[in-house]
Amino acid sequence: MTVRHDGQPAQAGPLSGAATWLRVHGRLVAAGWRRGSTYRAAALGGLVANVTFGFLKVSVLTAAVAAGGGELAGYDTRAVIAYAWLSQALLGSVNLFGRIDLAGRIKDGSVAVDLLRPIDLQTSTTAQEVGRALFSLLPRGVPIVVLAVLVGGMRLPTDPLVLGAGLLSALLAVVVSHLVVYLVAATGFWTVETRGLQVFYMVVAGFFAGLFVPVSIFPGWLFALAQATPFPSMLQIPVDLLSGRVAGGAAAGALLVQLAWLVVALVLGQLMTRAGRHRLEVQGG
Amino acid sequence: MAEPLSSRWRPYRAVVASRVRSQTSYRGGFALDLVSSLLVGVVQLAEVLVLFRSVDSLGGLDLAAVVLVFGIADLSFSLADLVVGHLDTLPVYLRSGTLDVFYLRPQPLLAQLVTSDVSLRRVTRIAVAAVALGVGVAVNDIAWTPLHVVFLAVVVLTSALTFAAVFVAAAGVQFFLVDAAEATAAAVYGGRYAATQPASVWAKPLVAVFGFAIPIAFTAYLPVVALLGLPGPGWLPGWAGWLAPLAAVWMWAVAALAWRTGVRHYQGGGG
């Protein structure tokens, strides 16, 4: 790495280049975190919605388990309760809605300013979004888990290995979801308006991520279709790992699947950004 | 003010017509919108079907009955969504201050907001719901009398009115929440989700909220219980479903109160 991507000569060797990259992106994550912390009312509003959906899902899924004789495709009562609450707890942080500020910046042309900065558009955007998403775990994730333990009879993982793998998986889910949503927004370089695609993403992502019913109870062909998408990596996998339903070697495999999707989305995003910046046309000045 | 009704509605008609034209002018985007909206309906139906693959009955309803519940719930919600769904964007108007413009015009605020947009893309979702309702009617063993037919038609309309009232009530509350607007999604979209469920599986707090306060159980589940002559959910007798249309009256009273309070609370966007 002798030349930075904006054409300026790099000032030092590759080692300090990596250190600089980490420092800059760490600051962007922190900036995103602070930004998230200013929207307290919004977080509270989201919490109310998550709790309502959590109660509705717990009711219907536990009834389904009871009707199935105490088991529903490998889920017992405790497992579906954990599934319903953990998926709601993560919902404020993983991006299944397909909305990202970048889409608006591409549409109104202010992305031109972002592209002038000597930092990669994809990684800097994702770092800020991830910081904001991780903050959401405090006002939305933690209260839901506490509520679930108090009223829902949910068990928390006590094995540090299970908990660690679950938290790592949740972090990967947050990053993967924002990298894929970046791809949705980046189509705006060609189409300008991406709202239609965003709604499409929202519908497909929610269903295949296991937001409504666990992906594991899908019929075979639909399950296979879901597995071919990055969406289970955004919700089903971290929920399965956090609840301890998937553990040991299977958990390691699930983490690798998430990592693979992260790399795929990262590479695709780089290619799209490079092609897109040549397409971008901004009016005015 | 002896204006004929048609001329009084002319400005609203002109706005709605312009909205329709604007949405259909970007053909590619509009086509994708239609497909997405179709998918919303299909995915929501798939949720129900996937769950019923593993169980024979849930909360006293079999698959046929649940499809009928889904059809009524989703058709009435989609109809309400088509007409008043964009009230959801009220917080955007509130934050940017553009709502003040509506206050300046000599027309009722709610009528202006409702006719300020129409989401044509939602027609495909209405189609999915209508098909589900048709299938639900066909596969259930209902002793059809003229009363049953009229009841079903009335229920679809009054349930659409109930959902419309939930949208309006949520919009009224948004005048107070503004930044926490997502809280009202619990009532609006949580309500839509709740409407497709057999309400007999709900825990007590849910019965209080979606059984009575926001009478979602009356939009589809209780009418189906009445149509099929099933026993009630335990907290209401089965015949209570025949009173389902009254839920719209209650919800509109709540909506009128919430909306009036909200509009009076509004202090302007400043600037």
Side-chain angles (χ1 to χ4, degrees), chain A residues 131-166:
Chain A
R132 200 170 160 184
L134 290 179
F135 176 81
S136 289
L137 287 175
L138 294 186
R140 291 174 72 170
V142 173
I144 288 175
V145 171
V146 171
L147 182 78
V149 170
L150 290 179
V151 306
M154 191 181 80
R155 219 178 358 210
L156 281 177
T158 45
D159 184 349
L161 203 63
V162 170
L163 186 63

Side-chain angles (χ1 to χ4, degrees), chain A residues 49 52-61 83-84 88 211-214, chain B residues 43-44 47-48 51 69-70 73-74 77 125 163 185-199 202 206 210 216 219:
Chain A
T52 309
F53 272 94
F55 273 115
L56 286 167
K57 283 176 67 173
V58 165
S59 283
V60 75
L61 286 173
Y83 162 80
Q88 290 300 316
L211 178 59
F212 308 113
V213 281
Chain B
V43 161
Q44 280 164 352
E47 268 172 70
V48 175
L51 199 58
V69 169
F70 179 88
D74 219 42
F77 180 83
R125 191 171 153 195
F163 282 118
V188 177
Y189 299 98
R192 188 219 67 84
Y193 178 55
T196 59
Q197 293 184 342
W202 290 347
L206 285 176
F210 288 125
I216 294 299
T219 56

Side-chain angles (χ1 to χ4, degrees), chain A residues 37-85:
Chain A
S37 71
T38 57
Y39 294 95
R40 294 207 183 97
L44 198 66
L47 179 64
V48 172
N50 291 148
V51 168
T52 309
F53 272 94
F55 273 115
L56 286 167
K57 283 176 67 173
V58 165
S59 283
V60 75
L61 286 173
T62 49
V65 169
E71 199 240 26
L72 178 77
Y75 283 86
D76 60 10
T77 306
R78 272 180 174 279
V80 283
I81 289 175
Y83 162 80
W85 286 117

